[in-house]
């Protein structure tokens, strides 16, 4: 196949979630040979696929390749990974975990939140974007950075300080995530002379859930929140607060019919509508947990 890394990533997860493990392994192997800077992902994918296919020797070899590189992935993630459960307790696996834990501890101590900005000469507003888990500001920028500035708006991707691998970040500590993102957004708005009403905040997957909770808790009240394949679980917990959802903020949900979070996203949208929120939902029938192919067009129509 041809394409950039994000095309490979999308195709890998479509094959993996569809149970086509040999196909997913082939994609991971090809990506590993083409994108050495993404080894922490591609070698992890290879290890998981080999583990699921019962090839434990090849699985641990892929992890040893990662340990021998200068990259890392969170050791705790490896230890909890069900796809690698057959390796738990083996000496080679434990050695890899030890190496990656030491490397990760050093990286975590030095990690700080990051802003990545793309601005036109004249801007009448700003769109902030919060990334998926195990990605970063650079990856989510790929979906916004070319389109948003053409609409006379600045684009700012925010990267969490919570690192889980080389170039990989998450929002697992939601309290810290809310504190960091709200502080960065408010400081940026003050510096550029914008208000929250000039602002759209978008988020994908775990970042989408963070966006929703930032608005729900009135930490930030943008004019619009765009939530792409939000990682929502047990949304009933939001019912009490959603009755006072800020009326000034429009909610826009995007979800794939094949997304494991689709049912909860639909429930949340319906709950918001019942409570009077300005909420719209777009469902892509053949999409899983990823961005839609026509996302540029969606942004142009929505913004």
């Amino acid at each position: 196949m041809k394409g950039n890394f994000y095309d490979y990533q999308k195709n890998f997860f479509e094959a993996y979630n569809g149970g086509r493990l040999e196909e997913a392994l082939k994609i991971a192997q090809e990506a590993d040979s083409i994108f050495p800077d993404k080894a922490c992902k591609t070698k992890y994918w290879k290890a998981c696929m080999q583990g699921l296919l019962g090839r434990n020797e090849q699985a641990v070899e892929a992890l040893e390749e990662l340990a021998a590189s200068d990259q890392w992935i969170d050791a705790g993630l490896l230890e909890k990974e069900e796809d690698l459960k057959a390796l738990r307790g083996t000496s080679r696996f434990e050695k890899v975990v030890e190496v990656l834990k030491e490397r990760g501890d050093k990286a975590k101590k030095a990690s700080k939140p990051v802003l990545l900005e793309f601005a036109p000469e004249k801007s009448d507003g700003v769109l902030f974007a919060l990334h998926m888990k195990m990605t970063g500001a650079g990856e989510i920028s790929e979906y916004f950075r070319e389109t948003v500035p053409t609409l006379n708006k600045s684009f700012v991707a925010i990267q969490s300080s919570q690192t889980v691998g080389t170039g990989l970040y998450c929002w697992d500590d939601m309290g810290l995530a809310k504190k960091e993102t709200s502080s960065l957004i408010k400081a940026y708005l003050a510096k550029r002379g914008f208000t929250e009403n000039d602002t759209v905040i978008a988020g994908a997957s775990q970042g989408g859930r963070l966006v929703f909770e930032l608005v729900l808790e009135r930490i930030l009240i943008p004019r619009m929140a765009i939530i792409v394949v939000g990682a929502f679980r047990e949304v009933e917990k939001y019912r009490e607060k959603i009755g006072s959802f800020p009326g000034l903020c429009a909610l826009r949900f995007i979800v794939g019919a094949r997304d494991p979070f689709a049912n909860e996203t639909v429930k949340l949208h319906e709950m918001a509508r019942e409570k009077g929120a300005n909420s719209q939902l777009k469902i892509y029938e053949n999409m899983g947990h990823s961005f839609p192919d026509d996302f540029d067009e969606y942004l142009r129509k929505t913004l």
Side-chain angles (χ1 to χ4, degrees), residues 4 62 92 100 111 124 141 196 199 206 211 251 279 295:
N4 60 31
R92 290 169 68 183
L100 296 182
S111 186
D124 60 13
S141 295
E196 290 183 27
T199 303
Q206 191 183 47
V211 170
L251 273 174
S279 181
F295 189 62

Side-chain angles (χ1 to χ4, degrees), residues 59 104 130 153 280:
L130 309 183
K153 300 188 187 304
Q280 294 180 14

Side-chain angles (χ1 to χ4, degrees), residues 164-194:
V164 288
T166 303
L168 308 180
Y169 301 85
C170 73
W171 309 102
D172 286 358
D173 184 337
M174 276 284 175
L176 175 60
K178 291 169 188 175
K179 181 178 179 181
E180 281 185 352
T181 53
S182 61
S183 295
L184 289 168
I185 288 173
K186 289 176 180 179
Y188 181 91
L189 295 177
K191 183 178 180 180
R192 295 288 188 263
F194 292 121

Side-chain angles (χ1 to χ4, degrees), residues 281-294:
L281 169 67
K282 184 164 186 179
I283 301 175
Y284 288 80
E285 291 301 324
N286 296 314
M287 190 178 83
H289 196 66
S290 62
F291 276 80
D293 292 335
D294 67 346

Side-chain angles (χ1 to χ4, degrees), residues 81-130:
E81 178 57 71
E82 284 297 305
D83 297 348
L84 301 172
K85 62 183 179 181
L87 302 182
R88 294 173 190 163
T90 63
S91 59
R92 290 169 68 183
F93 179 74
E94 295 304 325
K95 178 61 178 176
V96 168
V97 168
E98 181 182 343
V99 171
L100 296 182
K101 184 178 187 307
E102 182 178 352
R103 198 173 291 165
D105 287 346
K106 292 179 181 178
K108 289 175 183 179
K109 288 179 181 178
S111 186
K112 297 180 180 179
V114 171
L115 288 182
L116 192 58
E117 179 184 22
F118 301 85
E121 282 190 25
K122 294 182 179 179
S123 175
D124 60 13
V126 57
L127 186 150
F128 295 95
L130 309 183

Side-chain angles (χ1 to χ4, degrees), residues 7-71:
D7 293 327
Y8 276 85
Q9 181 171 257
K10 180 179 180 179
N11 290 333
F12 169 79
F13 280 108
E14 285 181 354
Y16 171 61
N17 291 326
R20 304 189 304 277
L21 303 183
E22 290 286 5
E23 180 185 341
L25 175 59
K26 184 177 179 181
I27 295 169
Q29 290 170 328
E30 189 173 336
D32 189 46
S33 67
I34 298 172
F35 306 102
D37 59 321
K38 302 292 186 181
C40 62
K41 278 193 171 183
T42 57
K43 295 185 187 302
Y44 176 54
W45 297 345
K46 283 167 51 179
C48 289
M49 294 308 96
Q50 298 285 23
L52 285 172
L53 290 164
R55 302 166 189 162
N56 296 337
E57 179 71 18
Q58 292 94 325
V60 78
E61 283 177 0
L63 295 178
E64 287 172 340
E65 289 174 10
L66 175 56
S69 74
D70 60 354
Q71 297 188 34

